[in-house]
Amino acid sequence: MRLTLFFMGVMYCTYTLHAQNINVTSFCVNKTDSMAVVKPRYDINGSVGAIVKISQQNLPHLILKGNVIGNTINEDTVIIVYVLNNTKRLQLFHEGYIPKTIEFTELLDGCDGLKGGMVYHVQVCGTPQADIVATEIGARVLFFASNTKITKLKVNGKEWKIVNNTSSKLVPYGQYEYEAYTDGFSPQKGLVSVTPSFGRMTVNIEFK
């Protein structure tokens, strides 16, 4: 059996329709944005909060819930929210869409929560719509596909959900070991690097 892998780093959009989901398409720390320091907000203990700037596409009425400090600020397609130091997650709600919880600790290696005084940028997109490829520094979409039914896919030891022989997640830059399983064949293992030089990283697994 031969496993053929194709790695494509071209930034593009695919136009397959999905369920009514809120998708995170990019996440990063903006170290040059000083808004959290210049215009700070504090919790009841006097600790400065972090800022999350959410750029949205076709989600004009997002509702945010979590460790929020004060009211949100709406600037065209960007929603600015102050959150408590060490905030680990933020919930997004919009009429007609499945609620989305952003787990920040899963998007950046070594992140145990958002840090006060820092500004973080998140891009979200509602579907059905084009599957927007992540373009911000910090994370990329890692996408697996196969021409054969995959019974199980494990990436860095964790099992990923498979839908129509594909699986994808927004992951931090780094190296990812994967194992692909299908009936009648031995598990196939590989290593893929997700780096800033790529748009969506696609791994096509072809069993022969």
Side-chain angles (χ1 to χ4, degrees), residues 69-127:
I69 304 174
N71 296 326
T72 59
I73 302 170
N74 292 279
E75 296 182 350
D76 295 327
T77 61
V78 177
I79 301 172
I80 301 172
V81 57
Y82 288 76
V83 296
L84 298 180
N85 181 44
N86 288 327
T87 288
K88 295 178 172 56
R89 61 186 58 86
L90 189 65
Q91 293 179 302
L92 279 59
F93 299 86
H94 194 286
E95 183 179 358
Y97 291 84
I98 299 171
K100 174 69 175 181
T101 299
I102 303 176
E103 297 285 352
F104 297 112
T105 56
E106 296 180 0
L107 296 181
L108 286 180
D109 288 333
C111 176
D112 58 358
L114 304 187
K115 299 306 178 185
M118 299 297 295
V119 177
Y120 301 81
H121 286 204
V122 179
Q123 184 178 21
V124 298
C125 170
T127 57

Short mmCIF file of all heavy atoms in Angstrom, two decimals, residues 69-127:
data_model
loop_
_atom_site.label_atom_id
_atom_site.label_comp_id
_atom_site.label_asym_id
_atom_site.label_seq_id
_atom_site.Cartn_x
_atom_site.Cartn_y
_atom_site.Cartn_z
N ILE A 69 -15.73 42.59 30.96
CA ILE A 69 -15.67 43.80 31.78
C ILE A 69 -16.37 44.92 31.02
O ILE A 69 -15.89 45.39 29.98
CB ILE A 69 -14.21 44.21 32.07
CG1 ILE A 69 -13.43 43.07 32.73
CG2 ILE A 69 -14.17 45.45 32.95
CD1 ILE A 69 -11.96 43.37 32.92
N GLY A 70 -17.52 45.37 31.53
CA GLY A 70 -18.23 46.48 30.91
C GLY A 70 -18.93 46.09 29.61
O GLY A 70 -19.06 44.91 29.27
N ASN A 71 -19.36 47.10 28.88
CA ASN A 71 -20.09 46.89 27.63
C ASN A 71 -19.13 46.67 26.46
O ASN A 71 -17.98 47.12 26.48
CB ASN A 71 -20.98 48.10 27.32
CG ASN A 71 -22.07 48.29 28.36
OD1 ASN A 71 -22.59 47.33 28.91
ND2 ASN A 71 -22.40 49.54 28.63
N THR A 72 -19.61 45.98 25.45
CA THR A 72 -18.83 45.79 24.24
C THR A 72 -18.87 47.06 23.40
O THR A 72 -19.76 47.91 23.55
CB THR A 72 -19.36 44.61 23.41
OG1 THR A 72 -20.74 44.85 23.07
CG2 THR A 72 -19.26 43.31 24.19
N ILE A 73 -17.89 47.21 22.51
CA ILE A 73 -17.79 48.36 21.62
C ILE A 73 -17.92 47.85 20.19
O ILE A 73 -17.21 46.93 19.77
CB ILE A 73 -16.44 49.08 21.78
CG1 ILE A 73 -16.26 49.54 23.24
CG2 ILE A 73 -16.33 50.26 20.82
CD1 ILE A 73 -14.85 50.04 23.53
N ASN A 74 -18.83 48.41 19.42
CA ASN A 74 -19.05 48.00 18.03
C ASN A 74 -18.50 49.04 17.08
O ASN A 74 -18.92 50.21 17.13
CB ASN A 74 -20.54 47.78 17.77
CG ASN A 74 -21.09 46.58 18.52
OD1 ASN A 74 -20.94 45.45 18.09
ND2 ASN A 74 -21.74 46.83 19.65
N GLU A 75 -17.56 48.62 16.23
CA GLU A 75 -16.98 49.49 15.21
C GLU A 75 -17.09 48.81 13.85
O GLU A 75 -16.27 47.97 13.50
CB GLU A 75 -15.51 49.80 15.54
CG GLU A 75 -15.32 50.58 16.84
CD GLU A 75 -13.86 50.90 17.09
OE1 GLU A 75 -13.00 50.37 16.36
OE2 GLU A 75 -13.58 51.68 18.03
N ASP A 76 -18.13 49.14 13.12
CA ASP A 76 -18.39 48.52 11.81
C ASP A 76 -18.46 47.01 11.95
O ASP A 76 -19.37 46.49 12.59
CB ASP A 76 -17.32 48.95 10.80
CG ASP A 76 -17.37 50.45 10.52
OD1 ASP A 76 -18.47 51.02 10.55
OD2 ASP A 76 -16.30 51.04 10.29
N THR A 77 -17.51 46.29 11.40
CA THR A 77 -17.53 44.82 11.45
C THR A 77 -16.66 44.27 12.58
O THR A 77 -16.41 43.06 12.64
CB THR A 77 -17.05 44.23 10.11
OG1 THR A 77 -15.71 44.65 9.85
CG2 THR A 77 -17.96 44.64 8.97
N VAL A 78 -16.18 45.14 13.46
CA VAL A 78 -15.32 44.70 14.57
C VAL A 78 -16.04 44.94 15.90
O VAL A 78 -16.58 46.03 16.14
CB VAL A 78 -13.97 45.45 14.56
CG1 VAL A 78 -13.13 45.02 15.76
CG2 VAL A 78 -13.23 45.18 13.26
N ILE A 79 -16.03 43.92 16.73
CA ILE A 79 -16.59 44.02 18.08
C ILE A 79 -15.42 43.97 19.06
O ILE A 79 -14.59 43.06 19.01
CB ILE A 79 -17.56 42.86 18.37
CG1 ILE A 79 -18.70 42.87 17.36
CG2 ILE A 79 -18.11 42.97 19.79
CD1 ILE A 79 -19.60 41.66 17.46
N ILE A 80 -15.35 44.94 19.94
CA ILE A 80 -14.28 45.03 20.92
C ILE A 80 -14.84 44.69 22.29
O ILE A 80 -15.82 45.31 22.74
CB ILE A 80 -13.64 46.42 20.94
CG1 ILE A 80 -13.08 46.76 19.55
CG2 ILE A 80 -12.54 46.51 21.99
CD1 ILE A 80 -12.60 48.19 19.41
N VAL A 81 -14.23 43.72 22.96
CA VAL A 81 -14.71 43.31 24.27
C VAL A 81 -13.53 43.22 25.24
O VAL A 81 -12.47 42.70 24.89
CB VAL A 81 -15.47 41.95 24.21
CG1 VAL A 81 -14.59 40.87 23.61
CG2 VAL A 81 -15.97 41.53 25.57
N TYR A 82 -13.70 43.77 26.43
CA TYR A 82 -12.70 43.64 27.49
C TYR A 82 -13.05 42.42 28.34
O TYR A 82 -14.23 42.22 28.70
CB TYR A 82 -12.70 44.88 28.38
CG TYR A 82 -12.12 46.12 27.76
CD1 TYR A 82 -12.83 46.86 26.83
CD2 TYR A 82 -10.85 46.57 28.13
CE1 TYR A 82 -12.31 48.01 26.27
CE2 TYR A 82 -10.32 47.74 27.58
CZ TYR A 82 -11.05 48.45 26.65
OH TYR A 82 -10.52 49.60 26.09
N VAL A 83 -12.04 41.62 28.66
CA VAL A 83 -12.27 40.42 29.47
C VAL A 83 -11.28 40.40 30.63
O VAL A 83 -10.24 41.06 30.60
CB VAL A 83 -12.14 39.13 28.64
CG1 VAL A 83 -13.20 39.06 27.56
CG2 VAL A 83 -10.74 39.02 28.02
N LEU A 84 -11.59 39.60 31.64
CA LEU A 84 -10.73 39.48 32.81
C LEU A 84 -9.39 38.87 32.46
O LEU A 84 -9.28 38.08 31.50
CB LEU A 84 -11.41 38.63 33.88
CG LEU A 84 -12.73 39.12 34.47
CD1 LEU A 84 -13.24 38.13 35.51
CD2 LEU A 84 -12.58 40.50 35.08
N ASN A 85 -8.38 39.22 33.21
CA ASN A 85 -7.07 38.57 33.08
C ASN A 85 -7.22 37.06 33.26
O ASN A 85 -7.98 36.60 34.12
CB ASN A 85 -6.12 39.13 34.14
CG ASN A 85 -4.73 38.54 34.06
OD1 ASN A 85 -4.17 38.40 32.98
ND2 ASN A 85 -4.17 38.18 35.20
N ASN A 86 -6.52 36.30 32.45
CA ASN A 86 -6.53 34.83 32.46
C ASN A 86 -7.83 34.21 31.97
O ASN A 86 -8.11 33.04 32.24
CB ASN A 86 -6.20 34.28 33.85
CG ASN A 86 -4.74 34.47 34.20
OD1 ASN A 86 -3.86 34.43 33.34
ND2 ASN A 86 -4.46 34.68 35.48
N THR A 87 -8.63 34.98 31.23
CA THR A 87 -9.84 34.41 30.63
C THR A 87 -9.46 33.29 29.66
O THR A 87 -8.58 33.45 28.82
CB THR A 87 -10.63 35.51 29.87
OG1 THR A 87 -11.22 36.38 30.83
CG2 THR A 87 -11.71 34.91 29.00
N LYS A 88 -10.12 32.16 29.79
CA LYS A 88 -9.79 30.99 28.98
C LYS A 88 -10.77 30.74 27.84
O LYS A 88 -10.45 30.02 26.90
CB LYS A 88 -9.72 29.75 29.87
CG LYS A 88 -8.58 29.79 30.89
CD LYS A 88 -8.59 28.56 31.78
CE LYS A 88 -7.34 28.52 32.67
NZ LYS A 88 -7.18 29.72 33.50
N ARG A 89 -11.96 31.30 27.93
CA ARG A 89 -12.96 31.04 26.88
C ARG A 89 -13.93 32.20 26.77
O ARG A 89 -14.08 33.00 27.69
CB ARG A 89 -13.70 29.73 27.16
CG ARG A 89 -14.48 29.71 28.46
CD ARG A 89 -15.06 28.33 28.73
NE ARG A 89 -14.02 27.32 28.79
CZ ARG A 89 -13.33 27.04 29.90
NH1 ARG A 89 -13.55 27.70 31.02
NH2 ARG A 89 -12.39 26.11 29.88
N LEU A 90 -14.59 32.24 25.63
CA LEU A 90 -15.60 33.26 25.36
C LEU A 90 -16.70 32.61 24.53
O LEU A 90 -16.43 31.88 23.57
CB LEU A 90 -14.97 34.43 24.59
CG LEU A 90 -15.82 35.69 24.42
CD1 LEU A 90 -16.10 36.35 25.77
CD2 LEU A 90 -15.10 36.68 23.50
N GLN A 91 -17.94 32.87 24.90
CA GLN A 91 -19.07 32.29 24.19
C GLN A 91 -19.68 33.30 23.23
O GLN A 91 -19.86 34.47 23.57
CB GLN A 91 -20.14 31.81 25.18
CG GLN A 91 -19.70 30.63 26.04
CD GLN A 91 -20.77 30.20 27.01
OE1 GLN A 91 -21.24 30.99 27.83
NE2 GLN A 91 -21.19 28.95 26.92
N LEU A 92 -20.02 32.83 22.03
CA LEU A 92 -20.61 33.66 20.99
C LEU A 92 -22.01 33.14 20.66
O LEU A 92 -22.19 31.93 20.45
CB LEU A 92 -19.76 33.65 19.73
CG LEU A 92 -18.52 34.56 19.66
CD1 LEU A 92 -17.54 34.25 20.77
CD2 LEU A 92 -17.84 34.44 18.31
N PHE A 93 -22.96 34.06 20.58
CA PHE A 93 -24.34 33.71 20.25
C PHE A 93 -24.84 34.61 19.14
O PHE A 93 -24.51 35.80 19.09
CB PHE A 93 -25.24 33.87 21.48
CG PHE A 93 -24.87 33.00 22.65
CD1 PHE A 93 -23.93 33.43 23.58
CD2 PHE A 93 -25.48 31.76 22.83
CE1 PHE A 93 -23.59 32.64 24.66
CE2 PHE A 93 -25.13 30.96 23.91
CZ PHE A 93 -24.19 31.40 24.83
N HIS A 94 -25.63 34.02 18.25
CA HIS A 94 -26.26 34.80 17.18
C HIS A 94 -27.51 34.06 16.75
O HIS A 94 -27.51 32.84 16.60
CB HIS A 94 -25.30 34.96 15.99
CG HIS A 94 -25.74 36.01 15.01
ND1 HIS A 94 -26.79 35.84 14.14
CD2 HIS A 94 -25.25 37.27 14.77
CE1 HIS A 94 -26.93 36.92 13.40
NE2 HIS A 94 -26.02 37.80 13.76
N GLU A 95 -28.57 34.80 16.55
CA GLU A 95 -29.84 34.18 16.14
C GLU A 95 -29.66 33.39 14.84
O GLU A 95 -29.09 33.89 13.86
CB GLU A 95 -30.91 35.25 15.94
CG GLU A 95 -32.28 34.69 15.57
CD GLU A 95 -33.34 35.78 15.42
OE1 GLU A 95 -32.99 36.95 15.64
OE2 GLU A 95 -34.48 35.43 15.07
N GLY A 96 -30.12 32.14 14.85
CA GLY A 96 -30.04 31.29 13.66
C GLY A 96 -28.78 30.46 13.56
O GLY A 96 -28.62 29.70 12.61
N TYR A 97 -27.88 30.61 14.55
CA TYR A 97 -26.62 29.88 14.53
C TYR A 97 -26.43 29.09 15.82
O TYR A 97 -26.92 29.47 16.89
CB TYR A 97 -25.43 30.83 14.35
CG TYR A 97 -25.38 31.47 12.98
CD1 TYR A 97 -26.13 32.62 12.71
CD2 TYR A 97 -24.62 30.93 11.96
CE1 TYR A 97 -26.09 33.22 11.47
CE2 TYR A 97 -24.57 31.51 10.71
CZ TYR A 97 -25.32 32.65 10.47
OH TYR A 97 -25.29 33.24 9.22
N ILE A 98 -25.67 28.01 15.71
CA ILE A 98 -25.32 27.21 16.89
C ILE A 98 -24.33 28.00 17.73
O ILE A 98 -23.36 28.53 17.20
CB ILE A 98 -24.70 25.87 16.46
CG1 ILE A 98 -25.71 25.06 15.63
CG2 ILE A 98 -24.24 25.06 17.68
CD1 ILE A 98 -25.11 23.83 14.98
N PRO A 99 -24.56 28.12 19.05
CA PRO A 99 -23.61 28.85 19.90
C PRO A 99 -22.19 28.30 19.76
O PRO A 99 -21.98 27.10 19.59
CB PRO A 99 -24.16 28.63 21.31
CG PRO A 99 -25.62 28.36 21.10
CD PRO A 99 -25.70 27.59 19.81
N LYS A 100 -21.22 29.20 19.85
CA LYS A 100 -19.81 28.84 19.70
C LYS A 100 -19.03 29.24 20.94
O LYS A 100 -19.15 30.38 21.41
CB LYS A 100 -19.21 29.54 18.48
CG LYS A 100 -17.70 29.35 18.30
CD LYS A 100 -17.37 27.92 17.92
CE LYS A 100 -15.88 27.77 17.64
NZ LYS A 100 -15.54 26.39 17.26
N THR A 101 -18.25 28.33 21.48
CA THR A 101 -17.34 28.64 22.57
C THR A 101 -15.91 28.66 22.04
O THR A 101 -15.43 27.66 21.49
CB THR A 101 -17.43 27.61 23.71
OG1 THR A 101 -18.77 27.62 24.24
CG2 THR A 101 -16.45 27.95 24.83
N ILE A 102 -15.25 29.80 22.14
CA ILE A 102 -13.85 29.90 21.73
C ILE A 102 -12.98 29.51 22.92
O ILE A 102 -13.02 30.15 23.97
CB ILE A 102 -13.49 31.34 21.29
CG1 ILE A 102 -14.41 31.80 20.16
CG2 ILE A 102 -12.03 31.41 20.85
CD1 ILE A 102 -14.17 33.24 19.74
N GLU A 103 -12.22 28.44 22.76
CA GLU A 103 -11.30 27.98 23.81
C GLU A 103 -9.91 28.52 23.48
O GLU A 103 -9.18 27.96 22.68
CB GLU A 103 -11.30 26.45 23.88
CG GLU A 103 -12.63 25.82 24.24
CD GLU A 103 -12.98 25.97 25.72
OE1 GLU A 103 -12.11 26.43 26.49
OE2 GLU A 103 -14.11 25.61 26.10
N PHE A 104 -9.55 29.63 24.10
CA PHE A 104 -8.29 30.28 23.78
C PHE A 104 -7.08 29.40 24.10
O PHE A 104 -6.06 29.46 23.41
CB PHE A 104 -8.18 31.61 24.53
CG PHE A 104 -9.23 32.60 24.15
CD1 PHE A 104 -10.22 32.97 25.05
CD2 PHE A 104 -9.26 33.16 22.88
CE1 PHE A 104 -11.19 33.88 24.71
CE2 PHE A 104 -10.24 34.07 22.52
CZ PHE A 104 -11.21 34.44 23.43
N THR A 105 -7.18 28.59 25.13
CA THR A 105 -6.04 27.75 25.53
C THR A 105 -5.73 26.68 24.49
O THR A 105 -4.63 26.11 24.50
CB THR A 105 -6.31 27.08 26.88
OG1 THR A 105 -7.53 26.33 26.81
CG2 THR A 105 -6.43 28.12 27.99
N GLU A 106 -6.67 26.41 23.59
CA GLU A 106 -6.45 25.42 22.54
C GLU A 106 -5.86 26.02 21.27
O GLU A 106 -5.43 25.30 20.38
CB GLU A 106 -7.76 24.70 22.21
CG GLU A 106 -8.33 23.89 23.37
CD GLU A 106 -9.63 23.20 23.01
OE1 GLU A 106 -10.08 23.36 21.85
OE2 GLU A 106 -10.19 22.51 23.87
N LEU A 107 -5.86 27.35 21.19
CA LEU A 107 -5.42 28.00 19.97
C LEU A 107 -3.96 28.44 19.98
O LEU A 107 -3.36 28.64 18.93
CB LEU A 107 -6.30 29.23 19.68
CG LEU A 107 -7.78 28.93 19.40
CD1 LEU A 107 -8.53 30.21 19.12
CD2 LEU A 107 -7.93 27.97 18.23
N LEU A 108 -3.39 28.61 21.15
CA LEU A 108 -1.99 29.01 21.25
C LEU A 108 -1.26 28.09 22.21
O LEU A 108 -1.72 27.85 23.33
CB LEU A 108 -1.85 30.46 21.73
CG LEU A 108 -2.19 31.57 20.74
CD1 LEU A 108 -1.99 32.92 21.40
CD2 LEU A 108 -1.33 31.48 19.49
N ASP A 109 -0.12 27.56 21.77
CA ASP A 109 0.69 26.71 22.63
C ASP A 109 1.13 27.47 23.88
O ASP A 109 1.58 28.61 23.80
CB ASP A 109 1.94 26.21 21.88
CG ASP A 109 1.60 25.16 20.84
OD1 ASP A 109 0.57 24.48 21.02
OD2 ASP A 109 2.33 25.02 19.86
N GLY A 110 1.00 26.83 25.04
CA GLY A 110 1.45 27.42 26.28
C GLY A 110 0.53 28.49 26.83
O GLY A 110 0.85 29.12 27.84
N CYS A 111 -0.61 28.70 26.21
CA CYS A 111 -1.54 29.73 26.67
C CYS A 111 -2.44 29.16 27.76
O CYS A 111 -3.15 28.18 27.53
CB CYS A 111 -2.40 30.23 25.51
SG CYS A 111 -3.67 31.42 25.99
N ASP A 112 -2.39 29.76 28.96
CA ASP A 112 -3.27 29.33 30.04
C ASP A 112 -4.35 30.37 30.33
O ASP A 112 -4.96 30.37 31.40
CB ASP A 112 -2.46 29.02 31.31
CG ASP A 112 -1.65 30.23 31.77
OD1 ASP A 112 -1.69 31.27 31.09
OD2 ASP A 112 -0.97 30.12 32.81
N GLY A 113 -4.57 31.24 29.36
CA GLY A 113 -5.57 32.29 29.49
C GLY A 113 -5.07 33.59 28.90
O GLY A 113 -3.86 33.80 28.77
N LEU A 114 -6.00 34.47 28.53
CA LEU A 114 -5.63 35.76 27.96
C LEU A 114 -5.03 36.66 29.05
O LEU A 114 -5.51 36.71 30.16
CB LEU A 114 -6.85 36.44 27.34
CG LEU A 114 -7.61 35.63 26.28
CD1 LEU A 114 -8.69 36.50 25.65
CD2 LEU A 114 -6.66 35.07 25.22
N LYS A 115 -3.98 37.37 28.68
CA LYS A 115 -3.24 38.17 29.65
C LYS A 115 -3.70 39.63 29.65
O LYS A 115 -3.85 40.25 28.59
CB LYS A 115 -1.74 38.10 29.36
CG LYS A 115 -1.18 36.68 29.44
CD LYS A 115 -1.50 36.01 30.78
CE LYS A 115 -0.98 34.59 30.83
NZ LYS A 115 -1.40 33.91 32.10
N GLY A 116 -3.90 40.16 30.84
CA GLY A 116 -4.29 41.55 30.98
C GLY A 116 -3.28 42.48 30.33
O GLY A 116 -2.08 42.25 30.39
N GLY A 117 -3.79 43.54 29.70
CA GLY A 117 -2.92 44.49 29.02
C GLY A 117 -2.56 44.10 27.60
O GLY A 117 -1.90 44.87 26.90
N MET A 118 -3.02 42.93 27.15
CA MET A 118 -2.73 42.47 25.79
C MET A 118 -3.99 42.54 24.93
O MET A 118 -5.11 42.50 25.44
CB MET A 118 -2.21 41.03 25.81
CG MET A 118 -0.92 40.84 26.59
SD MET A 118 0.47 41.75 25.88
CE MET A 118 0.66 40.92 24.29
N VAL A 119 -3.77 42.64 23.61
CA VAL A 119 -4.88 42.68 22.66
C VAL A 119 -4.82 41.44 21.77
O VAL A 119 -3.77 41.12 21.20
CB VAL A 119 -4.83 43.96 21.80
CG1 VAL A 119 -5.97 43.95 20.77
CG2 VAL A 119 -4.94 45.20 22.68
N TYR A 120 -5.94 40.78 21.63
CA TYR A 120 -6.05 39.57 20.82
C TYR A 120 -7.07 39.80 19.71
O TYR A 120 -8.11 40.42 19.92
CB TYR A 120 -6.50 38.38 21.68
CG TYR A 120 -5.56 38.07 22.83
CD1 TYR A 120 -5.63 38.80 24.02
CD2 TYR A 120 -4.60 37.07 22.72
CE1 TYR A 120 -4.76 38.54 25.07
CE2 TYR A 120 -3.73 36.79 23.78
CZ TYR A 120 -3.82 37.53 24.95
OH TYR A 120 -2.96 37.27 25.99
N HIS A 121 -6.73 39.29 18.52
CA HIS A 121 -7.62 39.44 17.37
C HIS A 121 -8.19 38.08 16.99
O HIS A 121 -7.46 37.09 16.85
CB HIS A 121 -6.88 40.03 16.18
CG HIS A 121 -6.59 41.50 16.32
ND1 HIS A 121 -6.38 42.33 15.24
CD2 HIS A 121 -6.50 42.30 17.40
CE1 HIS A 121 -6.16 43.57 15.66
NE2 HIS A 121 -6.21 43.56 16.97
N VAL A 122 -9.49 38.05 16.79
CA VAL A 122 -10.19 36.84 16.37
C VAL A 122 -11.03 37.17 15.15
O VAL A 122 -11.68 38.22 15.11
CB VAL A 122 -11.11 36.29 17.48
CG1 VAL A 122 -11.85 35.04 17.00
CG2 VAL A 122 -10.32 35.98 18.74
N GLN A 123 -11.00 36.30 14.17
CA GLN A 123 -11.89 36.46 13.01
C GLN A 123 -12.89 35.32 13.02
O GLN A 123 -12.52 34.16 13.16
CB GLN A 123 -11.09 36.45 11.70
CG GLN A 123 -11.96 36.73 10.47
CD GLN A 123 -11.14 36.76 9.18
OE1 GLN A 123 -10.04 36.22 9.13
NE2 GLN A 123 -11.69 37.39 8.16
N VAL A 124 -14.18 35.65 12.90
CA VAL A 124 -15.22 34.64 12.88
C VAL A 124 -16.08 34.81 11.64
O VAL A 124 -16.17 35.89 11.06
CB VAL A 124 -16.10 34.70 14.15
CG1 VAL A 124 -15.28 34.42 15.40
CG2 VAL A 124 -16.81 36.03 14.26
N CYS A 125 -16.70 33.73 11.27
CA CYS A 125 -17.50 33.71 10.04
C CYS A 125 -18.69 32.79 10.26
O CYS A 125 -18.54 31.69 10.81
CB CYS A 125 -16.65 33.21 8.88
SG CYS A 125 -17.58 32.87 7.37
N GLY A 126 -19.87 33.23 9.85
CA GLY A 126 -21.05 32.39 9.93
C GLY A 126 -21.23 31.59 8.66
O GLY A 126 -20.93 32.07 7.57
N THR A 127 -21.70 30.38 8.76
CA THR A 127 -22.00 29.54 7.60
C THR A 127 -23.50 29.28 7.57
O THR A 127 -24.15 29.32 8.61
CB THR A 127 -21.24 28.21 7.69
OG1 THR A 127 -21.58 27.55 8.91
CG2 THR A 127 -19.75 28.40 7.63
#
